[in-house]
Amino acid sequence: MRFRHPDGTPVHLAYCSNVHQAEDLAGVVAQLATYAEPVRERLGVGRLGIGLWLARTAVTELAADERALTTLKAELAARGLETVTLNAFPYEGFHREVVKKDVYLPDWADPARLDYTLDCARVLAALLPDDTRRGSVSTLPLGWRTPWESERADRARRALDQLAVRLRELESETGRRIRVGFEPEPGCVVENTTQAVREFADVDRDYLGVCLDACHLAVQFEEPGEALGRLADAGLPVVKLQASCAVEAPDPADPRARAALRELAERRFLHQTRTVADGTVVGVDDLPDALDTDALPEGTAPWRTHFHAPLHASPEPPLRTTTGALTGVLAGLLGGPTAICDHIEVETYTWSVLPRPPADLAAGIAAELAWARDRLTDLGLKEDHS
């Protein structure tokens, strides 16, 4: 869906297809008919944004075969879909039985990550709607924090320099600017906006910036206004927002909260968990570590868990979600006189690992997008039906 900010900026709202399991091109095309088009129809809109996740296999096929790329673009158009952003954080195997820390591989010290990201950028430049000149690609925040010795950090820095050069060349060739956003995430080399400002101080801001994930921001207990102000002061652009909510246990000592959290401690994805003790954010790398050890204090501060919860729904009481953090980020980015970010992607990839997965996934995704649409209109954005 497209919106128009009061300053005239077109703002794109999409949902991320990493919720679907397809990793080859045939599977990607099939999911457009099975899920994306029904979502659009349920919303009653003529055009729906979809932030594609294209695994390494699919990107290789698209980058090597112009006809395949033309076919995918035609499939999108025929179903009333458009793509202005790609999620290039997962490389492959995102729906394996166990993913956990493998999602951070290859990291930015590995040349494979640069090659994959550049292929994604080339594909996106070709998929962009004819009236859109700029796209975005989100990626991991360099890598998991260990091991990350100086030699790996140096390799990653050189890769980022090459990335910016190649993106500039791509714009020269195609007339399309593709920007890459590095997504701070708990447990990674870049966990929060303070670290993002430090690690990306010298990048080419025309092509590189951050992708803010509102769930991650909340898990790290970052206040939206302060975080956005920190990025603005540093001149680091917000290339993309992933609209997402974390799960919060207001009183982690409550047996009902522990039981509800236990239901979320599944084995596929990593669910980093944080709290605040003596004014400092402390945490563990996965939810079972919080539930089965004394690593996290049960003080007056809540526990927040990296579990992308549906935007429109409440989890099992007494748990709640960090909806307030998401609405705060949206207000900070789009509630002022100038739009700070123009690509918003609803990224709830955890539907299949909910304690009670929905019978109708398309209906759930449509409900999330309707919730996001209402928040944007509340901020004064107008839906663009042109």
Side-chain angles (χ1 to χ4, degrees):
M1 289 182 283
R2 294 189 186 188
F3 295 81
R4 187 72 60 172
H5 188 273
D7 71 357
T9 300
V11 175
H12 298 264
L13 173 65
Y15 89 89
C16 183
S17 73
N18 67 355
V19 64
H20 308 310
Q21 295 190 28
E23 296 206 12
D24 61 11
L25 184 55
V28 170
V29 171
Q31 75 190 17
L32 302 181
T34 304
Y35 298 107
E37 188 173 15
V39 169
R40 180 185 62 76
E41 291 170 346
R42 285 177 180 272
L43 286 166
V45 296
R47 177 171 48 191
L48 176 70
I50 180 167
L52 290 176
W53 171 55
L54 300 172
R56 175 76 266 188
T57 299
V59 168
T60 298
E61 186 173 353
L62 289 166
D65 187 346
E66 188 172 342
R67 289 175 300 177
L69 199 51
T70 300
T71 297
L72 177 56
K73 187 169 184 177
E75 284 285 340
L76 289 165
R79 300 187 185 283
L81 308 171
E82 66 178 12
T83 295
V84 303
T85 187
L86 298 186
N87 186 331
F89 195 129
Y91 184 84
E92 61 188 1
F94 192 54
H95 289 272
R96 291 198 305 259
E97 187 175 348
V98 179
V99 179
K100 299 295 183 180
K101 293 179 183 177
D102 285 350
V103 75
Y104 308 109
L105 299 174
D107 61 29
W108 276 96
D110 186 333
R113 176 58 66 171
L114 174 62
D115 293 342
Y116 169 64
T117 307
L118 286 170
D119 281 348
C120 286
R122 294 188 194 96
V123 168
L124 179 58
L127 291 178
L128 284 178
D130 293 340
D131 61 351
T132 303
R133 312 311 300 173
R134 187 167 77 181
S136 62
V137 175
S138 51
T139 185
L140 71 159
L142 301 181
W144 189 250
R145 68 182 184 277
T146 55
W148 198 255
E149 64 281 357
S150 60
E151 189 271 337
R152 295 181 66 79
D154 289 343
R155 291 209 308 265
R157 168 56 56 192
R158 291 193 294 271
L160 267 56
D161 291 341
Q162 293 178 54
L163 175 64
V165 169
R166 301 287 289 279
L167 291 174
R168 188 175 295 276
E169 292 173 350
L170 180 65
E171 182 177 13
S172 179
E173 295 167 8
T174 65
R176 305 292 182 90
R177 175 169 294 194
I178 307 299
R179 299 191 297 169
V180 171
F182 296 84
E183 180 184 332
E185 177 168 323
C188 291
V189 175
V190 179
E191 289 192 300
N192 53 45
T193 55
T194 297
Q195 293 171 344
V197 167
R198 182 186 68 227
E199 293 292 335
F200 304 122
D202 299 323
V203 300
D204 185 336
R205 275 75 181 294
D206 288 339
Y207 297 94
L208 307 183
V210 297
C211 168
L212 275 187
D213 185 303
C215 169
H216 302 172
L217 197 79
V219 170
Q220 287 295 135
F221 287 86
E222 291 204 76
E223 196 281 320
E226 292 178 2
L228 293 175
R230 189 175 296 117
L231 296 173
D233 290 345
L236 195 58
V238 180
V239 170
K240 172 179 175 178
L241 169 67
Q242 285 181 328
S244 56
C245 292
V247 172
E248 180 177 273
D251 179 8
D254 183 344
R256 296 177 304 149
R258 308 275 299 199
L261 286 173
R262 181 75 61 182
E263 287 200 305
L264 300 179
E266 53 83 34
R267 64 194 304 263
R268 178 177 296 164
F269 299 119
L270 202 63
H271 300 297
Q272 302 94 313
T273 302
R274 301 287 187 266
T275 189
V276 176
D278 298 325
T280 301
V281 178
V282 296
V284 293
D285 288 341
D286 208 356
L287 180 56
D289 300 330
L291 294 171
D292 300 332
T293 73
D294 296 326
L296 285 188
E298 294 178 350
T300 58
W303 286 4
R304 291 181 177 175
T305 295
H306 176 214
F307 193 113
H308 285 216
L311 305 187
H312 65 291
S314 299
E316 185 73 20
L319 301 184
R320 61 193 183 194
T321 68
T322 57
T323 306
L326 173 55
T327 55
V329 173
L330 286 169
L333 291 173
L334 296 168
T338 303
I340 297 173
C341 177
D342 57 355
H343 291 175
I344 304 168
E345 179 181 75
V346 173
E347 196 215 12
T348 306
Y349 59 83
T350 47
W351 284 98
S352 64
V353 296
L354 288 171
R356 284 162 288 281
D360 188 340
L361 178 58
I365 294 171
E368 286 196 289
L369 286 166
W371 183 96
R373 174 174 59 188
D374 290 346
R375 302 293 83 71
L376 294 181
T377 55
D378 289 346
L379 291 172
L381 279 71
K382 303 295 184 183
E383 197 166 350
D384 185 351
H385 299 286
S386 60

